[in-house]
Amino acid sequence: MMEKSYLDKRKADIQYNLDVINEKIAESAIKSGRRPEDVCLMAVTKTVDPIFINYALDYGVKLIGENRVQEMLRKKPDLHLDGVDKHLIGHLQTNKAGQIVGEVDMIQSVDSLKIAKEIGKQSAKKGIVTDVLLEINVGAEESKTGFSTSEFFENLEEISLIPNIQVKGLMTVPPICENNSELCKFFENMFNIYVDIKTKKLDNITMNILSMGMSGDYEQAILCGSNLVRIGSSIFGPRIY
Ligand SMILES: *Cc1c(COP(=O)(O)O)cnc(C)c1O
């Protein structure tokens, strides 16, 4: 059992962190010529105990993200999910697609043509359409999943033809950068692709969500056009694996 005084402190910390983050999101949105409500906050809950996730949900968080299928499915029954959307944000293996399709509101981490097709196939089986984002490896890093920018453009038309998925936008995790101007180049590159595709008329592809920005760089990401930031450690504290 966790002690009450410890739980009270964690709750106060999470609420305080959310106040600070919401304030910074609002400031950055306004600076970039938008309204605070134009930028959506996702609480990233990987490794976080449902007790603490519920503190954030009870305090007004309306969107959560998990990286792993099993972890998402395990925690789900314990969460206060009324009116809350759930997104998968981690790499999805083909053999797990059937388990997650229908269990989340969006899969943000569609990083290959193969997984896009599999999500389509599993969605068809369940008679649903799954909303997805396409993940771009904007820094072309070996260690990261995601379409390279060239693969993204090569595959886009074929993805638009896959039944039972609806592409809603783009997601990225940029490389670790030395300074803000280097980081901004990656974010701006994403924003340009996002705007470029927005003007194209492709079946099943709309560009409404640009998911970029995490604890360390969300203000910068918003200034560069992000409208969904994914924040974990700045809400819940350092992750303990
Ligand atoms: C873990 C994770 C985050 C949140 O990272 P923090 O630095 O803790 O805010 C965001 N996006 C993805 C894809 C993640 O895996």
Side-chain angles (χ1 to χ4, degrees):
M1 273 303 282
M2 286 181 268
E3 276 195 51
K4 185 168 182 307
S5 60
Y6 171 73
L7 293 176
D8 285 346
K9 169 148 191 345
R10 286 293 302 266
K11 186 184 207 168
D13 285 347
I14 288 166
Q15 293 182 343
Y16 173 79
N17 292 342
L18 284 167
D19 285 343
V20 171
I21 290 164
N22 280 319
E23 184 77 18
K24 287 184 177 171
I25 289 174
E27 275 172 25
S28 306
I30 289 164
K31 265 194 210 162
S32 69
R34 291 173 293 164
R35 295 167 305 174
E37 61 269 30
D38 292 336
V39 179
C40 181
L41 167 64
M42 166 190 282
V44 175
T45 55
K46 60 172 176 257
T47 77
V48 180
D49 190 290
I51 294 174
F52 306 125
I53 302 173
N54 283 333
Y55 291 157
L57 295 176
D58 296 342
Y59 202 61
V61 165
K62 288 280 169 256
L63 173 63
I64 58 169
E66 276 283 347
N67 291 64
R68 291 160 172 275
V69 171
Q70 301 313 333
E71 189 174 344
M72 167 76 87
L73 297 178
R74 175 166 51 79
K75 288 176 181 174
K76 223 177 143 186
D78 296 325
L79 298 176
H80 303 169
L81 288 174
D82 227 22
V84 173
D85 276 3
K86 307 156 292 296
H87 292 183
L88 185 76
I89 60 169
H91 172 69
L92 176 60
Q93 287 169 286
T94 323
N95 62 5
K96 300 255 174 73
Q99 293 172 49
I100 199 73
V101 161
E103 297 291 331
V104 288
D105 300 282
M106 187 177 290
I107 299 175
Q108 291 205 0
S109 40
V110 172
D111 52 16
S112 69
L113 180 61
K114 185 169 163 232
I115 195 68
K117 285 182 173 164
E118 186 61 24
I119 293 167
K121 187 173 136 195
Q122 297 296 335
S123 303
K125 261 195 202 168
K126 293 185 176 160
I128 60 172
V129 173
T130 299
D131 288 340
V132 304
L133 302 183
L134 301 177
E135 180 178 356
I136 298 186
N137 179 1
V138 72
E141 294 170 279
E142 290 277 346
S143 60
K144 280 198 184 126
T145 53
F147 294 95
S148 69
T149 48
S150 61
E151 282 167 353
F152 168 77
F153 286 106
E154 283 157 25
N155 286 294
L156 197 58
E157 198 181 329
E158 195 165 348
I159 291 171
S160 78
L161 301 175
I162 300 171
N164 300 82
I165 65 168
Q166 172 73 43
V167 178
K168 296 280 189 180
L170 307 176
M171 188 268 255
T172 198
V173 180
I176 292 167
C177 291
E178 299 260 303
N179 55 56
N180 273 347
S181 70
E182 199 188 324
L183 178 64
C184 266
K185 287 204 186 104
F186 291 113
F187 285 146
E188 280 165 3
N189 191 0
M190 286 296 297
F191 184 72
N192 291 337
I193 297 169
Y194 173 78
V195 171
D196 180 26
I197 305 302
K198 216 180 188 17
T199 61
K200 292 200 165 84
K201 294 267 172 292
L202 288 161
D203 283 347
N204 303 317
I205 297 188
T206 54
M207 286 286 136
N208 300 318
I209 300 176
L210 181 56
S211 171
M212 56 186 197
M214 314 191 345
S215 289
D217 59 11
Y218 67 96
E219 290 168 278
Q220 213 58 48
I222 295 168
L223 293 177
C224 297
S226 165
N227 60 14
L228 192 160
V229 292
R230 309 177 309 267
I231 302 184
S233 46
S234 286
I235 299 174
F236 298 109
R239 280 182 286 277
I240 301 152
Y241 287 93

